[in-house]
Amino acid sequence: MLSLLLPLLSAITLVKAHGYVQDIVIGSTHYSGYLPYTDPYYNPVPERIVRQIPGNGPVTDLSLIDVQCNGYTDGNYYTAPAPIYATVAAGSQLHLNWTTWPDSHIGPMITYMAKAPSDITQWMPGTSEVWFKVAESGKTSDGKWAATDILTENDSIYTFTIPASLEPGQYIVRHEIIALHAAYVYPGAQVYPSCIQLQVTGSGTSFPTSDYLVAFPGAYTAATPGIVYDAYTNTSAYPIPGPEVWSG
Ligand SMILES: *[C@@H]1O[C@H](CO)[C@@H](O)[C@H](O)[C@H]1NC(C)=O
Ligand SMILES: *[C@@H]1O[C@H](CO)[C@@H](O)[C@H](O)[C@H]1NC(C)=O
Ligand SMILES: *[C@@H]1O[C@H](CO)[C@@H](O)[C@H](O)[C@H]1NC(C)=O
Ligand SMILES: [Cu+2]
């Protein structure tokens, strides 16, 4: 075990600090995120409500399936469903606790959901247009970025609300930071997505129309407003990528 861990730990110190969601609070219940530097080394591997991610690094080729839930399609990691999910009432808040996020990595924070047609612990959305945006924050009019200024002010906790009128069912929450420090060219924007599995309860009867639904990969390309953006020189409003928010 030691001989396995030592090279691993020294490799980690070389990885530049980026981040991932380490903890999720729903009501008074804490759910651990998927912890990429420890979870895979436990036997048995801990069961998480978050789909596995390979580490704290970004996806920059936005045509890959990796941009959906941050799984690799090759090597030792791959996108796969998580074994469990959390149950939450429509209209509730989720609080997502990010690892310390580097100040240089300015950019927006965006949250999507997708309804599983059947058992979420088996469902892989592939390239289907199933994702609708439920929350977004970019740059405020006084120049504060969501992923750095606001997240730091909020103690690294990002909060969003599940639309109160959303029909019940099993949903994947796809939450991301897009870091823009190198986004003056494509590829350059760094996407840090992850996917949380939920059972949404309630008596809601609303669901977004197809106008709101996008695919990952697909929703973001080099031509999507806000993917190529010179965050250091451009003083105009930042156009958050993706469709309009659906709030129910
Ligand atoms: C976020 O999670 C970390 C690691 O579990 C914990 O130390 C920290 O207190 C949490 N932050 C908040 C604001 O709860
Ligand atoms: C940050 O905290 C403020 C005040 O609690 C809240 O209104 C805002 O929604 C939070 N922002 C994010 C992105 O979580
Ligand atoms: C600034 O960003 C906006 C929105 O992406 C874009 O339309 C505009 O061309 C950019 N301005 C410059 C000078 O690059
Ligand atoms: Cu980075």
Side-chain angles (χ1 to χ4, degrees), residues 22-23 25 30 96-99 154-157:
Q22 59 187 340
D23 191 63
V25 182
H30 283 257
L96 311 184
N97 178 344
W98 277 83
T99 53
N154 286 11
D155 250 352
S156 299
I157 307 289

Side-chain angles (χ1 to χ4, degrees), residues 16-19 56-58 101-102 104-105 179 181 190 192:
K16 272 196 286 167
H18 315 275
N56 64 6
W101 189 252
S104 59
H105 286 32
H181 52 290
Q190 300 185 343
Y192 296 82

